Amino acid sequence: MDISELDARALHDLVPIVEALTDADLGAPTPCIGWQVRDLLQHMNSEHEAVSELLLPESAVLDADPRKAFGQIISRWITATGAALTDGRAISVPKFGTEFPAESLLSIHFADMLVHRWDIAKALGVDPDLPEDLVGLALPIALSIPDTGPLRGVNGYAQAVPIPDSAPPTDRLVAALGRSPDWQRP
């Protein structure tokens, strides 16, 4: 399976979770410091669309409900990034102010979407139940993100949370992207 297929699988797995969110769920705190589920959803929608708008010729007409818009937005992302990957184009990420090779960006994005799935599940107080095969593929990607640079800090990931190498793979994955695996819904 290539990286665009892995990324698409992680995104498609998120759609029913996002669409099932209730109004009350949107107000739940997440493991992302200072963010509620609605903030996380807004982040995912706006960041995906910012990239897609640069790569696709047509503008989006999105559903006003961010839960329903998510599926539309990820469809645009998959089309846009898939074309960039096929063409060998770099992808500009506005929030970082830089371009990334398509394969590198999709690799990091794939790991990120698994962690956002974990974020939402933890916010809702349910078992994240991330697919072991995807976690196994995403873990080395997450562990390869440098401690400094554009992917860390204000616009990027929090610093990795120290965790033993013997910890379960899902715990190591979320820790690599700055989450405490022990985080519990208040």
Side-chain angles (χ1 to χ4, degrees):
M1 190 175 290
D2 72 24
I3 193 59
S4 63
E5 291 172 352
L6 290 170
D7 189 52
R9 180 174 163 201
L11 285 165
H12 286 301
D13 288 352
L14 253 174
V15 171
I17 295 167
V18 168
E19 289 179 346
L21 293 169
T22 66
D23 290 344
D25 293 337
L26 294 175
T30 72
C32 305
I33 297 172
W35 281 13
Q36 296 175 331
V37 170
R38 79 172 42 83
D39 303 314
L40 179 58
L41 181 55
Q42 173 60 33
H43 161 74
M44 289 191 294
N45 284 352
S46 65
E47 296 301 325
H48 284 115
E49 194 55 27
V51 170
S52 296
E53 284 178 347
L54 295 175
L55 295 170
L56 296 174
E58 69 280 348
S59 297
V61 177
L62 302 170
D63 196 292
D65 184 326
R67 294 165 286 200
K68 292 177 183 170
F70 182 75
Q72 297 169 304
I73 288 168
I74 64 123
S75 289
R76 286 175 48 81
W77 166 273
I78 291 167
T79 299
T81 58
L85 183 64
T86 300
D87 297 344
R89 288 182 284 153
I91 298 175
S92 179
V93 180
K95 81 172 184 176
F96 294 129
T98 190
E99 290 185 339
F100 294 88
E103 188 166 344
S104 297
L105 179 66
L106 286 174
S107 294
I108 294 165
H109 184 264
F110 158 62
D112 188 44
M113 290 304 100
L114 289 177
V115 173
H116 283 331
R117 177 176 169 179
W118 182 89
D119 291 332
I120 292 170
K122 294 297 268 187
L124 301 178
V126 299
D127 180 2
D129 193 30
L130 299 182
E132 288 181 26
D133 63 326
L134 296 184
V135 171
L137 294 167
L139 181 57
I141 296 166
L143 292 173
S144 73
I145 296 173
D147 291 336
T148 59
L151 295 176
R152 296 282 182 187
V154 176
N155 286 325
Y157 302 109
Q159 288 300 311
V161 173
I163 187 168
D165 289 344
S166 60
T170 296
D171 289 358
R172 293 178 62 216
L173 174 64
V174 300
L177 296 188
R179 274 67 160 184
S180 170
D182 297 328
W183 189 90
Q184 295 293 321
R185 180 181 173 161

